[in-house]
């Protein structure tokens, strides 16, 4: 039981951290946290809708944080830890894959 509690607290900590960063991005702050944004020339940045890009990434980080927290909580509710971990981390990886594809196709975040 103590092992499950430590695992839960670890998932909770990382989930809340991700959600905190997600809220920061969602409210239009923290563009510095986006990979490649700092190294992009000013002229290139002007081609992107920073507000929409930050809001999208913020929403996705909120969802990722929620997945991490649920992956930690569900074993405490009696569900098998192995199955919960497989499902949780599969959803986590699929969401990240979808984020990468969605952001880099269709010019959705360009002016």
């Amino acid at each position: 039981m103590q092992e499950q509690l430590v695992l839960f607290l670890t998932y909770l900590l990382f989930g809340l951290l991700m959600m905190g960063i997600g809220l920061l991005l969602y409210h239009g702050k923290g563009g510095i946290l986006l990979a490649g944004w700092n190294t992009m020339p000013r002229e290139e940045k002007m081609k992107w809708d920073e507000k929409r890009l930050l809001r999208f990434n913020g929403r996705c980080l909120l969802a990722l944080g929620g997945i991490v927290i649920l992956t930690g909580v569900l074993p405490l509710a009696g569900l098998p830890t192995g199955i919960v971990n497989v499902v949780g981390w599969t959803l986590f990886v699929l969401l990240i894959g979808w984020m990468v594809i969605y952001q880099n196709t269709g010019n959705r975040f360009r002016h």
Side-chain angles (χ1 to χ4, degrees):
M1 183 65 181
Q2 185 177 1
E3 190 175 300
Q4 276 188 328
L5 185 60
V6 170
L7 189 63
F8 164 71
L9 292 175
T10 304
Y11 278 112
L12 182 66
L13 175 70
F14 284 109
L16 289 175
L17 179 65
M18 291 176 79
M19 291 179 99
I21 294 170
L23 282 173
L24 186 70
L25 292 175
Y26 183 79
H27 290 292
K29 309 289 185 208
I32 193 171
L33 299 172
L34 292 182
W37 190 255
N38 290 333
T39 59
M40 192 181 295
R42 186 164 184 78
E43 299 81 34
E44 184 68 22
K45 282 184 183 180
M46 298 304 290
K47 296 178 186 176
W48 291 87
D49 187 350
E50 182 179 9
K51 184 178 179 183
R52 285 185 62 211
L53 188 63
L54 290 173
R55 286 182 73 91
F56 173 76
N57 280 288
R59 279 190 215 114
C60 289
L61 273 173
L62 287 169
L64 289 169
I67 290 170
V68 170
I69 291 172
L70 278 175
T71 303
V73 168
L74 291 178
L76 293 178
L79 293 171
T81 304
I83 293 172
V84 171
N85 281 332
V86 168
V87 171
W89 291 111
T90 301
L91 286 173
F92 190 87
V93 169
L94 287 174
L95 181 55
I96 290 175
W98 175 79
M99 285 173 58
V100 170
I101 292 168
Y102 186 82
Q103 287 185 70
N104 292 300
T105 59
N107 294 323
R108 291 175 180 88
F109 300 104
R110 293 218 180 230
H111 285 292

